[in-house]
Amino acid sequence: SGHSAGGIALTNIICSGFKPDRVRYLDATYGFWPEKAYSACGGSASDIQFEFYVRPKTWTDSGFVRKVKNNKNVDYITSHIAHGKFIEQFI
């Protein structure tokens, strides 16, 4: 799991070769981070479960996340809670 800027750390860990069972981006899907990790894990052909928690109509509700949200290995969860509350709410 990675929250906020922890998304880049999560992406770097995955791109280094670590293959988790599940990946959680907690309001942390900025820029290329989720796309790079998702691709490194094999994308929709992977058995790795991706969970993208985003605040609607914000930077974390990016085009990439919306593009893959219907894939079999992706859960796309929207929430209007405050950014700083994502950890206590979803872990």
Side-chain angles (χ1 to χ4, degrees), residues 13-31:
I13 290 167
I14 292 167
C15 289
S16 75
F18 182 74
K19 299 293 188 241
D21 295 328
R22 180 172 56 173
V23 178
R24 283 185 179 166
Y25 280 82
L26 302 171
D27 208 22
T29 53
Y30 300 100

Side-chain angles (χ1 to χ4, degrees), residues 8-61:
I8 190 64
L10 184 57
T11 298
N12 289 338
I13 290 167
I14 292 167
C15 289
S16 75
F18 182 74
K19 299 293 188 241
D21 295 328
R22 180 172 56 173
V23 178
R24 283 185 179 166
Y25 280 82
L26 302 171
D27 208 22
T29 53
Y30 300 100
F32 65 89
W33 303 347
E35 183 172 8
K36 191 171 178 183
Y38 187 74
S39 295
C41 288
S44 61
S46 172
D47 289 333
I48 298 170
Q49 185 64 34
F50 276 79
E51 298 174 6
F52 297 116
Y53 295 79
V54 303
R55 295 181 64 219
K57 299 179 183 173
T58 66
W59 283 99
T60 59
D61 186 22

Side-chain angles (χ1 to χ4, degrees), residues 1-4 6 10 22-28 51 53 77 81 83-91:
S1 295
H3 173 255
S4 196
L10 184 57
R22 180 172 56 173
V23 178
R24 283 185 179 166
Y25 280 82
L26 302 171
D27 208 22
E51 298 174 6
Y53 295 79
I77 299 97
I81 64 170
H83 175 75
K85 300 285 186 180
F86 269 68
I87 293 173
E88 68 186 62
Q89 182 72 31
F90 297 113
I91 290 189

